[in-house]
Amino acid sequence: MNAPNLLKSLLVSLAGISLASGAPRPNIVFIVADDLGWMDTAVYGSKYYETPAIDALAQKGIRFTEAYSASPLCSPTRASLLTGQYPGRIRLTTPACHLPKVVLDPQVPKSAAPHQKAATPATRTRFPNDYLTYVEILRDQAGYATAFMGKWHLGHKPYLPEEQGFDLVVGGRHHPGPPPPGDSSRRGISTPFPRTPKEPLSPPPLPIAR
């Protein structure tokens, strides 16, 4: 069984077990933080940073104490988490998805630069939409409502989270960091959940202390 089919079978089976037992389907909240050290939260040993909200999530959820990221870089890690495949197999190995040039079939150069000992394969600059993601499986096979909020950095339109199974997208554009002031895509709100007029899409602004 290949990796996408294995991922699909695992997720659908877990959802089926939950429904068969009569238990409500668990909510799944997956937080990926750029440049977060492995001991930067209290639950993982920090004596300096106080992270009570994350600690509370950890107490109610599952902790992975012997797991490694697929890459030390943001975009390859995100693509790997979405698919269950290594960045090298996806051919997306550096965070270059904000660049204007579209590269979907990167090549290995015939020679290396004079200061390098080996040739470095080029990288995709977009995460192709034809990959099956766990989000699509949870939405289409298990009936979950899905949302993406924050940094995407896996490509310009049409390589956006809306095309990878997310119903609601807030942010989620090509930027390698926060979008610049005045950028028309900085909010990036699209395809909201069905809601009644009494349920605003975003919370009301906080009062300003005077």
Side-chain angles (χ1 to χ4, degrees):
M1 182 179 290
N2 57 35
N5 285 337
L6 178 61
L7 177 64
K8 177 179 179 180
S9 298
L10 177 61
L11 290 173
V12 173
S13 297
L14 289 174
I17 291 172
S18 176
L19 291 175
S21 65
R25 280 180 302 193
N27 291 322
I28 301 172
V29 180
F30 201 135
I31 302 174
V32 181
D34 275 9
D35 304 319
L36 180 72
W38 71 275
M39 269 187 62
D40 284 351
T41 56
V43 68
Y44 282 102
S46 174
K47 304 299 183 184
Y48 181 81
Y49 298 108
E50 297 180 358
T51 53
I54 294 178
D55 299 345
L57 279 175
Q59 291 177 357
K60 297 178 181 179
I62 300 173
R63 291 181 58 210
F64 295 92
T65 58
E66 297 183 14
Y68 292 88
S69 171
S71 170
L73 302 171
C74 56
S75 299
T77 297
R78 198 170 294 110
S80 178
L81 289 171
L82 285 167
T83 61
Q85 300 187 39
Y86 288 112
R89 180 175 291 276
I90 303 172
R91 303 169 71 191
L92 201 164
T93 52
T94 63
C97 297
H98 59 285
L99 300 177
K101 185 177 180 180
V102 178
V103 178
L104 295 176
D105 186 23
Q107 303 297 312
V108 179
K110 295 181 179 180
S111 60
H115 64 282
Q116 294 178 331
K117 295 183 179 180
T120 302
T123 182
R124 281 175 164 163
T125 62
R126 304 292 186 270
F127 176 49
N129 292 331
D130 55 359
Y131 277 98
L132 178 67
T133 67
Y134 76 89
V135 185
E136 293 170 296
I137 296 171
L138 289 171
R139 184 192 67 181
D140 300 337
Q141 302 294 326
Y144 273 82
T146 59
F148 182 92
M149 301 177 186
K151 179 181 176 182
W152 178 247
H153 197 198
L154 289 174
H156 297 248
K157 187 177 181 179
Y159 305 97
L160 297 175
E162 295 96 312
E163 306 299 328
Q164 297 288 5
F166 291 101
D167 297 322
L168 172 68
V169 178
V170 180
R173 291 301 181 257
H174 62 276
H175 306 286
D183 192 296
S184 61
S185 66
R186 64 184 313 194
R187 292 185 66 220
I189 298 178
S190 64
T191 321
F193 293 130
R195 56 191 176 90
T196 66
K198 294 183 179 180
E199 296 175 344
L201 184 61
S202 56
L206 296 175
I208 299 176
R210 297 184 183 276

